[in-house]
Amino acid sequence: MTGRTSTGVPRVVSLVPSLTEAVAVTVPGALAGATDWCSHPPDLDVVRVGGTKNPRVERIVGIGPDLVVANEEENRGPDLDALRAAGIEVLVTEVRDVPAALRELDRVLTACGARTRPRWLDEAESAWAGLPDPEHPTAAIVPIWRRPWMVLGRDTFAGDVLARLGVDNVYAGHEDRYPRIPLAELRAAAPELVVLPDEPYRFTADDGPEAFGDVPCALVDGRHLTWYGPSLARAPGVLGGALRAGPAQARRRP
């Protein structure tokens, strides 16, 4: 049985880590459930409902939420259809660039009971609006997995984030959004930079850069690169610093 919380806001289950964090810090008490991958805020204490790709539909129904928030890329249509069939409202976001992320966050937070626009969302909007146009974009590849190697392709949120920070994704015109590219082909693309996030694959200084020889590698925080939530406000500074540090470290090699 559904029903509002004691504070009058909807009972919400989030199937998207980014949205979980955004709702938790903006509408305290609204979240009743979240996925096993929802790691922020670190002290989040709600019912866990499985993964983003394999949520436990019966457990979600048992929570009795007024609303489930989801994403067209992170969650599967059949799972969302099953929730709708159980009489639960499902709000599905579509985020392919920074402006869409800001709009969708506003929509989600309003649906979850936010009475005012949170300060962090205003700060995020100002941070991204204040960026200068990149003068000399750096040709880069952006692996997100290895064994097999996968990279950012066309029409992705992370790709738009990097483009606004001066990274020209070599595979931005690929027909696939996350193409599988053999390592030999990645090397042959002759990138000026390799951007290695720590999620979904956890690239580290000892796991990833060695595959690209002398090409500078920038190790970046995956949350700031791929999450759309409170981390958006700091993302330009955090990512910009990491992108500058990679080439600088390469120049200092003996």
Side-chain angles (χ1 to χ4, degrees), residues 24-111:
V25 303
T26 305
V27 194
L31 278 177
T35 76
D36 300 344
W37 298 105
C38 293
S39 58
H40 286 75
D43 60 351
L44 183 66
D45 183 17
V46 297
V47 177
R48 299 295 175 162
V49 299
T52 57
K53 303 296 186 187
N54 56 346
R56 299 174 63 178
V57 172
E58 288 118 359
R59 175 169 287 188
I60 296 171
V61 173
I63 292 172
D66 300 293
L67 179 68
V68 171
V69 293
N71 175 262
E72 51 87 29
E73 179 179 30
E74 291 201 49
N75 308 119
R76 301 185 320 120
D79 295 322
L80 305 184
D81 290 341
L83 292 168
R84 294 188 184 99
I88 297 172
E89 181 181 355
V90 180
L91 187 160
V92 182
T93 59
E94 181 175 328
V95 176
R96 303 291 178 89
D97 55 31
V98 172
L102 297 170
R103 290 194 303 271
E104 291 286 60
L105 283 164
D106 216 349
R107 182 166 74 103
V108 167
L109 295 174
T110 298

Side-chain angles (χ1 to χ4, degrees), residues 65-241:
D66 300 293
L67 179 68
V68 171
V69 293
N71 175 262
E72 51 87 29
E73 179 179 30
E74 291 201 49
N75 308 119
R76 301 185 320 120
D79 295 322
L80 305 184
D81 290 341
L83 292 168
R84 294 188 184 99
I88 297 172
E89 181 181 355
V90 180
L91 187 160
V92 182
T93 59
E94 181 175 328
V95 176
R96 303 291 178 89
D97 55 31
V98 172
L102 297 170
R103 290 194 303 271
E104 291 286 60
L105 283 164
D106 216 349
R107 182 166 74 103
V108 167
L109 295 174
T110 298
C112 291
R115 293 181 174 83
T116 59
R117 200 168 192 259
R119 178 178 295 179
W120 65 258
L121 189 52
D122 289 335
E123 292 173 349
E125 188 167 27
S126 296
W128 286 99
L131 290 177
D133 292 332
E135 294 184 7
H136 305 290
T138 302
I141 58 174
V142 190
I144 58 168
W145 202 259
R146 67 183 303 178
R147 307 181 192 93
W149 286 94
M150 298 175 65
V151 299
L152 290 185
R154 65 168 179 85
D155 196 23
T156 67
F157 171 72
D160 184 64
V161 164
L162 291 171
R164 294 169 186 271
L165 296 172
V167 173
D168 182 13
N169 180 11
V170 170
Y171 290 98
H174 197 281
E175 62 181 354
D176 296 328
R177 296 183 66 212
Y178 302 101
R180 296 185 179 190
I181 309 293
L183 181 58
E185 188 175 328
L186 294 178
R187 291 169 171 164
E192 300 173 272
L193 179 68
V194 178
V195 180
L196 297 171
D198 61 8
E199 63 175 75
Y201 185 91
R202 189 172 182 79
F203 288 104
T204 68
D206 299 319
D207 186 356
E210 81 290 342
F212 298 97
D214 294 331
V215 180
C217 293
L219 295 165
V220 302
D221 185 312
R223 177 166 164 263
H224 286 95
L225 177 60
T226 63
W227 288 38
Y228 36 92
S231 58
L232 271 176
R234 295 185 60 237
V238 172
L239 293 172

